[in-house]
Amino acid sequence: MTATGGEAALFWVLAPLMVLAALGLLFVRRAVHAAMCLVFVMVSLAIMYIAQEAAFLGVVQVVVYTGAVMMLFLFVLMLVGVDASDSLTETIKGQRGIGLLLGLGLGIVLAGVVAQAAFPPAAGLGLANEVTNPVGLARILFGDYVLAMEAVGVLLVTAAMGALVLTHRRRLEPRRTQRTMAESRVRALPRGVSLTPQPTPGVYALNNAMDTPALDPAGEPVEASVPRVLRIRGQQRSVGALLESERATVEGE
Amino acid sequence: MIPGIAADFSQDTIWTTVVKAVLIVVFLLTSVLFAIWFERKVVARMQVRPGPNWHGPFGLLQSLADAMKLLLKEDLTVTAADKFTYLLAPMISVFCSLLVFAVVPFGPEVTIPFTDYSTPAQLTDFPVAVLYVLACASLGVYGIVLGGWSSGSTYPLLGAVRSTAQVISYELAMGLSLVSVFLMAGSMSTSQIVDSQTRLWWFIPLLPAFVVYVISMVGETNRLPFDLPEAEGELVSGYMTEYSSMKFAWFFLAEYINMLNVSAVAVTLFLGGWRAPWPLSAVGAGMLNEGWWAVLWFLVKLWAVMFVFVWVRGTLLRLRYDQFMVFGWKVLIPVALSFAVVVALIQWANRVVELPFTATLWVIGGVFAVLLALVWFWPEKPRPIGRKGGEEAVLDAFADGYPVPPLPGQTLPPSPRGRRTPIEHDAAGAVADAAGAGPGSAATETGGVLQKKGRVTGE
């Protein structure tokens, strides 16, 4: 069980970093940083797999776990708490004790299984990868373990359907499509509602802020181009004053 | 020699690998400079303007000047940024995009000039090389997502969330369209897939998969019409809003390298890789399919796909976000999935049942004939008439207060003019006109027309 020079170097570079990242996962404050630590561990694991000639496993690890599962995790984390540092108060009473107990139990079970497990003599990589790694894996998965594969597939599909059903909301009113919205806008025209978006604020040589009204083709200020909030607060500027100040600047120079 | 791949890397030493890796990076960086110039020039031509034409011959040095300007700009770090992640994100993007070309075959065995040393024109290959490409692409998204998140600002975050959803859904469609190539080629190694296209390039028998791939590759690289993560009109520039100078340049670089990556995968998997196009491949017993010639064909095809990118950008408008997601999930994925199943069935008939190829074609033809007959004889749904499904079969000419033309299926009410009788003093002209048109046409309904004609002839 000796590794070649390259593989040993790879291991001794990656393994300490992986341990650091794994510890980071436990101890960093922000959830996104923890997720990044986990991603680092996963990618390093994939590199290790590939170094040990399990190319398919390594690549799938990245595509499925890092690319899809962790990405969805990150997605939720970012949407839920963008800048809030996460609250560390425990909401369930006695959570810590129960957690410790269950963790201990899991540890004992795992230790028992590992201690009890008996492996057949190793066949060797040469034999396992004889028909290329993906083909060899496919023969095992879809030959020897096809039932287990199918069962897992059915389970996953059921879980996905369950998620769909649980998050499904019945539509109470008809869907508003682009067409219905356009029609309702046209129908509202006689009531003085504009068909087009509101005009943008005015652009002048010295000023293009939100509080400056645009000018229509006749040179009159367009009231609606200034946001309603500013108009109600009385914060819009008059065109006359703006043009006057521009003229003063131009003539002053 | 590794089993399951066509290229032979057994002669390669560590130095060969290093030289190849450096060459690939140099190739990618110069190609990006060229691609920016190419894109600007081609789009300009499509919009009837000259494009960059000032710096260097044909404006070729324009993108170099732009890159220099970008590097010398002030490097801002926004206050709300998560410093480390903010710096890490563009690096992830660039590194992941640089990885893909490691498995792209530029050509077969080539001989280094002035020596007799020959080596495959490809850095490396392994039995799951195409999956490795997908893995690099999915890691590259982390750059975008973390860049958007770490900026600590709303637009970048929205851009990042959009891009996550977009890349995950379009990568599914992309992966499924690649499955049919794996099934046909019987391998996931790039050199083996190119080898399997000796007789026929896969885009011909696998046309639906090719179409799905081309669409999803545009979605994957966030290019128009799918550039929603950086939609200028909505999100300023999405995940890179808060980036400037070198960090922004890295995102920009990654985007263009990704374009080259997906183009190279399209060429390798569907367009015959480095193989010469048909009439040329027959010249001199395959002489043009060997050595450095092959690199030329590969580059020609690569830039042809890049041209498609630019063409699409110059032609199409950006999609609305919900339409874009519906298109990905309800059109592209089902099409790619069902096509993969069809290909699997055909391969099963071919290899397991050992049906002769002509018989397979007959079966496909039969299935199509049955489908066609079904579509042909399927009872047609009655089409709704008028705007509200048959309620307004008679035209309300002033619906909603505005004059409206009749819709298909609506009938015009009889014209009020038709009920008028022709005016007396015009009658002679009108009768003369009616006599010319034929007896009986002077009925009350056409009275209006007659009246008009009468006036014209009367003058």
Side-chain angles (χ1 to χ4, degrees):
Chain A
M1 290 287 269
T2 48
T4 57
E7 205 179 319
L10 184 73
F11 176 81
W12 285 112
V13 170
L14 272 186
L17 289 176
M18 273 169 77
V19 172
L20 274 183
L23 288 175
L25 170 66
L26 292 177
F27 294 116
V28 291
R29 286 269 156 190
R30 302 185 88 166
V32 173
H33 291 168
M36 284 323 295
C37 288
L38 189 55
V39 167
F40 182 82
V41 174
M42 282 174 166
V43 173
S44 310
L45 260 185
I47 295 173
M48 296 257 189
Y49 289 149
I50 294 172
Q52 305 213 332
E53 300 198 16
F56 186 80
L57 183 62
V59 169
V60 165
Q61 159 100 359
V62 174
V63 172
V64 176
Y65 286 100
T66 321
V69 177
M70 268 320 283
M71 190 52 89
L72 288 178
F73 255 78
L74 210 60
F75 193 77
V76 174
L77 282 180
M78 285 180 356
L79 277 184
V80 170
V82 184
D83 44 5
S85 53
D86 304 298
S87 141
L88 293 174
T89 46
E90 290 169 12
T91 46
I92 307 168
K93 214 181 248 178
Q95 188 185 18
R96 205 165 275 213
I98 299 170
L100 219 65
L101 210 69
L102 287 179
L104 216 67
L106 181 68
I108 291 169
V109 170
L110 283 181
V113 168
V114 170
Q116 294 258 313
F119 295 105
L125 264 179
L127 193 66
N129 284 350
E130 198 181 11
V131 282
T132 79
N133 178 263
V135 175
L137 206 61
R139 291 212 174 132
I140 294 174
L141 282 181
F142 296 103
D144 302 354
Y145 295 99
V146 68
L147 201 68
M149 272 296 286
E150 295 290 327
V152 169
V154 168
L155 259 180
L156 281 176
V157 171
T158 317
M161 292 300 287
L164 279 181
V165 169
L166 287 177
T167 53
H168 181 74
R169 277 181 305 159
R170 187 167 293 172
R171 194 177 285 284
L172 295 175
E173 40 190 44
R175 211 168 100 89
R176 294 193 70 198
T177 60
Q178 198 168 9
R179 182 172 191 108
T180 54
M181 283 198 273
E183 275 171 1
S184 71
R185 234 176 286 144
V186 170
R187 215 164 294 134
L189 254 184
R191 281 185 276 120
V193 176
S194 168
L195 197 61
T196 54
Q198 294 293 309
T200 49
V203 177
Y204 304 93
L206 295 178
N207 198 307
N208 65 349
M210 294 290 275
D211 58 353
T212 58
L215 297 181
D216 69 1
E220 296 294 319
V222 185
E223 283 294 309
S225 66
V226 176
R228 201 169 55 94
V229 176
L230 294 185
R231 271 183 281 146
I232 292 171
R233 286 189 193 151
Q235 286 177 332
Q236 85 205 78
R237 296 203 221 176
S238 83
V239 177
L242 276 169
L243 293 179
E244 194 57 48
S245 72
E246 277 193 18
R247 193 172 303 125
T249 316
V250 170
E251 281 167 4
E253 277 170 1
Chain B
M1 188 161 173
I2 313 166
I5 64 172
D8 181 12
F9 295 99
S10 54
Q11 301 297 311
D12 283 15
T13 58
I14 180 107
W15 291 111
T16 329
T17 313
V18 169
V19 168
K20 280 183 192 173
V22 170
L23 280 180
I24 285 176
V25 173
V26 170
F27 167 76
L28 283 177
L29 295 183
T30 44
S31 294
V32 167
L33 286 183
F34 183 74
I36 296 171
W37 172 84
F38 177 78
E39 177 175 20
R40 291 180 64 178
K41 204 77 181 168
V42 172
V43 162
R45 285 289 149 155
M46 287 173 177
Q47 295 166 351
V48 205
R49 57 191 174 85
N53 59 355
W54 197 253
H55 301 289
F58 307 106
L60 265 169
L61 297 181
Q62 176 70 45
S63 37
L64 193 67
D66 283 345
M68 282 301 126
K69 186 197 79 174
L70 205 51
L71 298 191
L72 294 175
K73 278 192 167 183
E74 186 187 356
D75 192 6
L76 293 171
T77 302
V78 284
T79 323
D82 186 298
K83 300 278 179 323
F84 178 68
T85 324
Y86 186 72
L87 185 65
L88 184 71
M91 292 186 182
I92 295 179
S93 270
V94 172
F95 288 150
C96 293
S97 61
L98 285 173
L99 290 176
V100 170
F101 257 83
V103 293
V104 171
F106 282 74
E109 252 345 71
V110 292
T111 314
I112 309 298
F114 313 118
T115 61
D116 52 359
Y117 182 79
S118 76
T119 177
Q122 181 178 10
L123 176 57
T124 184
D125 193 8
F126 43 100
V128 287
V130 183
L131 290 187
Y132 162 82
V133 171
L134 288 181
C136 292
S138 63
L139 271 185
V141 194
Y142 276 97
I144 295 177
V145 172
L146 292 176
W149 174 78
S150 65
S151 300
S153 162
T154 316
Y155 283 140
L157 183 75
L158 284 176
V161 168
R162 273 189 181 187
S163 99
T164 324
Q166 169 170 343
V167 176
I168 288 180
S169 29
Y170 274 64
E171 209 176 62
L172 277 178
M174 185 187 251
L176 285 172
S177 68
L178 297 184
V179 165
S180 43
V181 177
F182 302 157
L183 287 171
M184 288 300 270
S187 172
M188 291 185 277
S189 122
T190 44
S191 59
Q192 189 79 45
I193 288 174
V194 173
D195 221 43
S196 70
Q197 300 180 71
T198 315
R199 275 180 52 229
L200 187 64
W201 296 358
W202 290 137
F203 86 97
I204 299 170
L206 304 178
L207 191 63
F210 180 59
V211 171
V212 170
Y213 178 82
V214 168
I215 296 174
S216 53
M217 84 178 183
V218 179
E220 176 92 8
T221 47
N222 299 334
R223 295 271 307 174
L224 266 171
F226 302 141
D227 64 339
L228 298 140
E230 43 188 292
E232 288 90 352
E234 303 153 31
L235 297 178
V236 190
S237 51
Y239 60 91
M240 28 186 176
T241 305
E242 306 289 1
Y243 279 93
S244 61
S245 185
M246 187 72 189
K247 296 197 206 93
F248 171 76
W250 282 42
F251 271 129
F252 205 67
L253 188 69
E255 188 178 323
Y256 276 86
I257 296 180
N258 274 332
M259 273 167 73
L260 288 166
N261 286 343
V262 288
S263 306
V265 171
V267 169
T268 306
L269 264 64
F270 289 101
L271 300 175
W274 41 259
R275 300 197 165 274
W278 167 64
L280 291 173
S281 59
V283 173
M287 180 256 286
L288 293 178
N289 255 337
E290 277 164 20
W292 294 100
W293 280 107
V295 180
L296 175 72
W297 308 130
F298 175 79
L299 290 180
V300 167
K301 290 180 202 173
L302 182 74
W303 285 99
V305 181
M306 289 292 279
F307 175 78
V308 172
F309 263 112
V310 180
W311 191 9
V312 166
R313 185 204 150 164
T315 312
L316 298 178
L317 298 170
R318 184 183 303 135
L319 263 77
R320 216 174 61 198
Y321 187 69
D322 58 332
Q323 290 170 339
F324 169 75
M325 285 317 249
V326 164
F327 181 61
W329 283 97
K330 294 192 179 167
V331 179
L332 288 186
I333 293 179
V335 166
L337 188 61
S338 42
F339 187 69
V341 171
V342 169
V343 172
L345 281 178
I346 292 172
Q347 286 295 81
W348 170 74
N350 215 353
R351 293 194 180 177
V352 182
V353 188
E354 285 173 2
L355 214 59
F357 188 63
T358 42
T360 320
L361 283 184
W362 275 110
V363 171
I364 296 172
V367 170
F368 264 101
V370 169
L371 280 179
L372 205 65
L374 268 180
V375 171
W376 191 265
F377 291 113
W378 200 263
E380 210 172 330
K381 231 194 268 177
R383 294 178 74 175
I385 300 161
R387 205 180 279 187
K388 283 167 194 148
E391 282 172 28
E392 292 180 12
V394 176
L395 173 70
D396 176 12
F398 283 89
D400 302 327
Y402 289 92
V404 285
L407 289 171
Q410 283 181 333
T411 49
L412 279 172
S415 165
R417 278 186 165 191
R419 274 180 241 116
R420 275 195 231 163
T421 48
I423 304 166
E424 256 337 288
H425 69 266
D426 254 51
V431 169
D433 206 61
S441 65
T444 44
E445 269 177 1
T446 50
V449 180
L450 285 177
Q451 195 182 15
K452 206 172 180 180
K453 275 187 182 168
R455 196 154 57 232
V456 171
T457 45
E459 275 163 1

